[in-house]
Amino acid sequence: EPPALWIPHRIAQSGIDPLWMGDDRMGALANSILYIEYKKPSVMKIFIPESDDLVQTAGVPMDLKFEVPLLKGAINPADGMAYMVGFQIWDSFASRLEGLCRLRVVKETDQLPVNAELFKEGLLLSFSEELDQKLALDPASYNVSSWEYQRTKNYGSAQYKAEGIPGADTRFVHSILLSKDKKSVFIAIDKMTRTMQLELQYALFGDW
């Protein structure tokens, strides 16, 4: 069975634990899955589809730095915060050999998408904060690419274009639609086809 989400090796080299963020006190992270990465200690926000039929979903890397080689996470029912613990069991970029850390909510909203939905015409992204209209409507604010993997007995896979040669296909963004509340944007993509990995990079809040 194909997975609901492929995670590129450069994003998570040693994904190790999914943490269900079911507590509303986690702010913008509530009702998502926090995917914990060991090798370069980090977390990735993964959307939980509203449908019970988990066919596909999307994930967003979070720009958070951890000193601890993360192995396990849990929600503390007393304060609703996420606590993570770990120690070095193999190679890691962590500056410490072991430790305990807490992921604390400092504000209710952030600049990460709160939802992502794929259509045959393109991709719909929703945010909790308003977007800059000029940046949001500029096709140059988006880079879209896609690639395939080869499932074999070997460890990992290179990236392959749709035609089977190594590399990634560039997807052309031909138009943008912005919602009235300026919190959702539809990125219309030319020639949308079925693919294993679709990556969208955007510059809506500054740097890519």
Side-chain angles (χ1 to χ4, degrees):
E1 292 294 328
L5 174 65
W6 291 98
I7 300 178
H9 188 255
R10 57 181 164 81
I11 300 297
Q13 298 181 33
S14 298
I16 202 161
D17 190 40
L19 177 59
W20 178 276
M21 308 299 286
D23 197 303
D24 290 337
R25 288 174 290 182
M26 284 305 297
L29 290 177
N31 300 315
S32 66
I33 294 174
L34 204 62
Y35 189 69
I36 299 174
E37 152 71 5
Y38 167 84
K39 171 85 172 177
K40 48 179 183 180
S42 58
V43 291
M44 184 177 190
K45 177 182 178 180
I46 297 178
F47 302 115
I48 301 175
E50 295 182 0
S51 171
D52 292 336
D53 187 15
L54 187 58
V55 176
Q56 63 180 9
T57 186
V60 182
M62 299 182 65
D63 188 22
L64 299 173
K65 309 299 181 185
F66 296 89
E67 298 178 350
V68 177
L70 304 175
L71 287 176
K72 187 68 177 177
I75 299 295
N76 183 352
D79 60 10
M81 300 292 107
Y83 288 78
M84 288 166 283
V85 66
F87 57 90
Q88 188 166 335
I89 54 177
W90 61 81
D91 188 29
S92 172
F93 294 150
S95 59
R96 296 173 54 179
L97 294 178
E98 46 76 33
L100 172 70
C101 57
R102 177 183 66 170
L103 182 59
R104 181 170 60 94
V105 175
V106 295
K107 63 177 186 176
E108 290 301 313
T109 63
D110 57 33
Q111 295 178 340
L112 295 177
V114 295
N115 189 46
E117 193 171 355
L118 195 63
F119 297 86
K120 64 180 181 179
E121 300 86 2
L123 180 64
L124 175 66
L125 284 183
S126 299
F127 297 82
S128 56
E129 299 182 0
E130 286 190 9
L131 301 173
D132 179 277
Q133 182 170 330
K134 183 178 179 180
L135 287 174
L137 292 175
D138 185 0
S141 296
Y142 309 90
N143 283 329
V144 183
S145 58
S146 64
W147 59 87
E148 313 299 321
Y149 297 109
Q150 290 185 358
R151 304 188 76 169
T152 68
K153 64 181 181 180
N154 299 320
Y155 181 77
S157 169
Q159 297 178 180
Y160 296 91
K161 294 185 177 183
E163 59 193 86
I165 64 175
D169 292 303
T170 299
R171 302 276 182 157
F172 175 65
V173 176
H174 61 76
S175 57
I176 309 293
L177 296 175
L178 183 64
S179 63
K180 290 183 178 180
D181 63 3
K182 298 182 181 179
K183 293 183 178 181
S184 294
V185 60
F186 185 81
I187 301 103
I189 303 171
D190 188 37
K191 298 180 180 178
M192 285 287 289
T193 56
R194 189 183 184 96
T195 183
M196 285 184 171
Q197 190 90 74
L198 181 72
E199 181 180 59
L200 168 69
Q201 297 179 343
Y202 58 80
L204 298 176
F205 302 98
D207 295 334
W208 294 90

